[in-house]
Amino acid sequence: MAKEALEVLLSAEQINEKIKELAAEITKDYHDKNPLLIGVLKGAVVFLSDLIREIDVPLEVDFMAVSSYGADTASSGIVRIQKDLDQSIKDKDVLIVEDIVDTGLTLNYLFENLGSRYPKSIKVVTLLDKPDRRKVKFEADYCGFKIPDRFVIGYGLDFNENYRNLKDICILNA
Ligand code: 5GP
């Protein structure tokens, strides 16, 4: 992929600034709680690792992996759990950490699935949101940036497993 095909949408500085804001809100809302943050693999790993270091309450971390786009950039609509949690979430304050809400299918499914496991509370934080592409109604409790309907990569987000290590979030002009 030629470098000129990448167009910076959100710079590392903008992302860092936004993460501090999100973490401050989360710290305030969970000041008397011990939340369990659930990262959705693999895309949310970079976001989660930066976010937790800015949150100033005791917290736990676990991960889930669900089926995603694969080699295509269009959503299949099929959600399958590939890796489940290591622990029960009964009576826990769960915060799902996602990289991007697109059609909403993944988070809608995860929210329902985890919600049926008797958590004390369940909320969602997403770094990015593409509201134009929704197939099901879904609104995250905390959202970093609303972005246009473009395929983005970097800061954990991939195209064919590449580009996750970019510091900026870029539009892939394929
Ligand atoms: P949804 O189920 O909301 O359609 O999709 C959520 C998942 O699709 C995200 O976790 C992410 O893996 C993938 N996805 C959606 N939009 C993009 C995008 O613009 N770039 C990349 N790299 N992945 C995306």
Side-chain angles (χ1 to χ4, degrees), residues 66-84:
V66 292
S67 61
S68 183
Y69 285 179
D72 199 351
T73 58
S75 176
S76 64
I78 299 162
V79 180
R80 190 163 44 93
I81 294 179
Q82 289 168 330
K83 183 224 169 287
D84 209 334

Side-chain angles (χ1 to χ4, degrees), residues 8-22 127 144-145 155 167-169:
V8 175
L9 178 69
L10 298 162
S11 69
E13 290 73 27
Q14 286 174 289
I15 298 167
N16 292 343
E17 204 49 50
K18 185 60 78 177
I19 284 175
K20 290 200 176 106
E21 287 171 29
L22 289 171
L127 181 61
F145 302 95
Y155 198 73
K167 291 192 172 80
D168 303 320
I169 291 174

Side-chain angles (χ1 to χ4, degrees), residues 107-124:
L107 273 175
N108 194 52
Y109 172 81
L110 274 180
F111 195 85
E112 294 288 316
N113 182 292
L114 295 177
S116 71
R117 302 185 194 187
Y118 305 103
K120 192 194 285 176
S121 70
I122 180 161
K123 285 189 179 185
V124 174

Side-chain angles (χ1 to χ4, degrees), residues 40-44 66-69 73 75 77 79 98-108 128 130 133-134 147 150-154 156-159 164:
V40 185
L41 295 171
K42 303 174 194 170
V66 292
S67 61
S68 183
Y69 285 179
T73 58
S75 176
V79 180
E98 179 63 298
D99 49 4
I100 184 165
V101 191
D102 186 19
T103 62
L105 289 165
T106 306
L107 273 175
N108 194 52
L128 305 174
K130 283 200 266 191
R133 299 237 324 150
R134 273 307 185 286
I147 62 166
R150 303 295 300 276
F151 191 79
V152 291
I153 45 116
L157 290 151
D158 77 310
F159 176 65
R164 293 193 197 275

